[in-house]
Amino acid sequence: MKASRLAAAGTLAGTAVLALSAPAFAHVSVQPEGTAAKGGYAVVDFKVPNERDNASTTKLEVSFPTDHPLASAMPEPMPGWKIEVTKSKLDKPIEMHGEKISEAVSKITWTADGKGVEPGYFEKFPVSIGQLPEDADQLVFKAIQTYSNKEVVRWIEVQQEGQDEPENPAPVLALSAAEDGHHGSSSSDNASDSDDSEAASAKTEAAEPADTSDTTARVLGVVGIVVGALGVAYGVLAGRRRTNA
């Protein structure tokens, strides 16, 4: 009886833990495919899990940051989804590749023309973005998730330093340090080092037969000397035998 009660209590506690932890991994989030380096370009995936058992996710709206506007944002075509890119005028133009840019992407909307993200599944929504800012450590994207039953979940709360994670946190893209501008030359140096190593190896391999031949000649010379000495000794001994006879 006691064992049954303990088992029931354990099951209840486990269920409670799962219920409390479920939102922690069911958020709409954003992650780069590879790295998202400051000053560069990146492909990022907005990961959208379905949190409902009786409805599908049929719409996703992602608002782009206004404090660090991105001049370029190109979504990847996705079967079963209609994609709309919205651009807005900038209060202050930004410079990109030596040109002044007066507008930037403010929002991308994905609308399902099929089943959407069904219960028990998640889907990734890829977007190529850039040029990433050099004076920021992260970018905040606010997302709105709409279900087939008309329910709307707003992932728009910004995490405040030193505070607990909000109930509906906005997706945050962490930016890595800017890539070394001499990365290409570094690769060339590596290639050059590789070539030098191969050349040295070739020289070593070419030298090996010569060393082998020289060693063989020395051995044969020594053998010849030994054979000659033996022949002389044999001759002396033979002469002595004849004299004694």
Side-chain angles (χ1 to χ4, degrees):
M1 191 71 176
K2 187 176 180 180
S4 300
R5 289 178 181 176
L6 289 174
T11 302
L12 182 60
T15 304
V17 169
L18 288 174
L20 290 173
S21 62
F25 58 80
H27 299 160
V28 171
S29 60
V30 59
Q31 291 292 334
E33 294 184 5
T35 59
K38 298 178 181 179
Y41 289 78
V43 174
V44 299
D45 295 325
F46 292 95
K47 183 179 178 181
V48 180
N50 193 320
E51 295 182 295
R52 303 295 179 261
D53 296 329
N54 58 353
S56 298
T57 295
T58 55
K59 188 176 182 181
L60 174 69
E61 300 170 76
V62 175
S63 295
F64 280 61
T66 56
D67 55 342
H68 293 94
L70 300 173
S72 174
M74 296 182 291
E76 181 178 320
M78 295 178 59
W81 294 87
K82 176 185 176 182
I83 306 174
E84 181 182 358
V85 179
T86 302
K87 293 186 176 183
S88 300
K89 290 286 185 180
L90 297 175
D91 295 333
K92 182 180 179 181
I94 58 176
E95 188 171 331
M96 186 175 179
H97 300 305
E99 298 183 4
K100 293 288 185 179
I101 305 297
S102 59
E103 65 176 15
V105 174
S106 57
K107 183 170 68 172
I108 297 182
T109 303
W110 290 264
T111 305
D113 54 15
K115 295 181 178 180
V117 185
E118 297 184 87
Y121 292 87
F122 75 91
E123 195 155 354
K124 292 180 180 180
F125 298 74
V127 182
S128 174
I129 60 175
Q131 185 173 357
L132 299 174
E134 298 180 356
D135 57 349
D137 295 323
Q138 63 181 29
L139 294 177
V140 178
F141 299 84
K142 297 184 177 182
I144 298 177
Q145 182 179 12
T146 302
Y147 288 90
S148 56
N149 60 1
K150 306 304 180 184
E151 180 187 1
V152 176
V153 182
R154 301 178 183 277
W155 304 99
I156 61 174
E157 298 177 67
V158 180
Q159 172 75 53
Q160 301 299 323
E161 187 175 355
Q163 297 185 11
D164 294 337
E165 184 181 52
E167 184 178 355
N168 295 310
V172 176
L173 175 67
L175 303 181
S176 60
E179 294 181 353
D180 186 0
H182 301 288
H183 180 71
S185 60
S186 176
S187 297
S188 298
D189 292 342
N190 291 337
S192 177
D193 292 343
S194 178
D195 292 342
D196 292 342
S197 299
E198 290 179 1
S201 177
K203 289 180 180 178
T204 302
E205 292 175 359
E208 286 179 356
D211 292 342
T212 303
S213 299
D214 185 57
T215 301
T216 302
R218 290 178 182 178
V219 171
L220 291 176
V222 172
V223 171
I225 293 173
V226 172
V227 171
L230 290 174
V232 171
Y234 180 79
V236 172
L237 290 173
R240 287 180 179 179
R241 289 176 180 175
R242 290 174 182 174
T243 303
N244 292 335

